[in-house]
Amino acid sequence: MTDQPTMPEVVNTEPETIAVLRETVPMNALPEFFARAYQTVERVVREEGLQPVGPAYAVYYGTPGDTVDVAAGFPAAATFVPRDGVHQVTIPGGRAVRLLHLGSYDGLAAAYDRLMVWIRGAEVGELADYMLEKYLTLPGTDPDATATLIVWPIQE
């Protein structure tokens, strides 16, 4: 599969609690941050006797520039004591714009461009000051076969 366009849609989401490591990092350091964050979060969650119970997440806060305020992690089955920079955040449920990106991460910028054009045309309301990416395929998947779900909450 190469980068395949899918259509944005407005959906109702359920609240989600995820274990994350959150930092402000330079844009060009995101791959290293993600690798470190996912390893750290998984280690802390497993040391608590828990398991990740869903796909990897990234939560982006504010507007990225040269740096980005980002959290990365996984849903965990129960609460735990925060440590090593890992804590839990709850993403509220409600209306959100959603777009499934099929293809390599290199195509995400074009997917976001399409999403923003659609949002302006659909007049969905004011977007939240954070958004999510859910990485639906496992690490090591052929880059052209990856699936990334972009979810941008709408302020109520």
Side-chain angles (χ1 to χ4, degrees):
M1 155 189 1
T2 57
D3 291 326
Q4 298 290 317
T6 60
M7 292 301 299
E9 59 185 340
V10 174
V11 296
N12 286 310
T13 63
E14 295 295 321
E16 299 177 89
T17 300
I18 53 178
V20 297
L21 180 67
R22 181 176 177 181
E23 295 180 6
T24 298
V25 298
M27 289 295 286
N28 62 359
L30 276 175
E32 292 83 8
F33 166 75
F34 283 134
R36 181 171 47 80
Y38 293 133
Q39 288 175 349
T40 302
V41 170
E42 184 172 9
R43 176 184 53 78
V44 167
V45 167
R46 289 187 188 280
E47 287 173 355
E48 290 289 321
L50 304 172
Q51 299 287 325
V53 292
Y57 275 71
V59 183
Y60 295 91
Y61 298 92
T63 304
D66 292 337
T67 62
V68 61
D69 181 1
V70 60
F74 305 93
T79 60
F80 60 88
V81 176
R83 64 183 160 93
D84 297 341
V86 177
H87 63 282
Q88 289 180 291
V89 297
T90 298
I91 305 299
R95 289 182 350 117
V97 175
R98 180 173 73 182
L99 174 67
L100 178 63
H101 170 69
L102 302 172
S104 76
Y105 297 132
D106 293 340
L108 277 172
Y112 275 102
D113 290 345
R114 275 194 352 268
L115 181 60
M116 293 310 296
V117 167
W118 184 87
I119 287 170
R120 282 190 294 274
E123 299 180 9
V124 298
E126 190 169 339
L127 299 173
D129 62 353
Y130 67 94
M131 49 83 49
L132 315 165
E133 289 177 358
K134 297 181 187 181
Y135 307 108
L136 304 179
T137 46
L138 296 173
T141 300
D142 174 3
D144 289 334
T146 60
T148 305
L149 188 62
I150 300 167
V151 179
W152 202 326
I154 299 168
Q155 288 186 8
E156 299 294 333

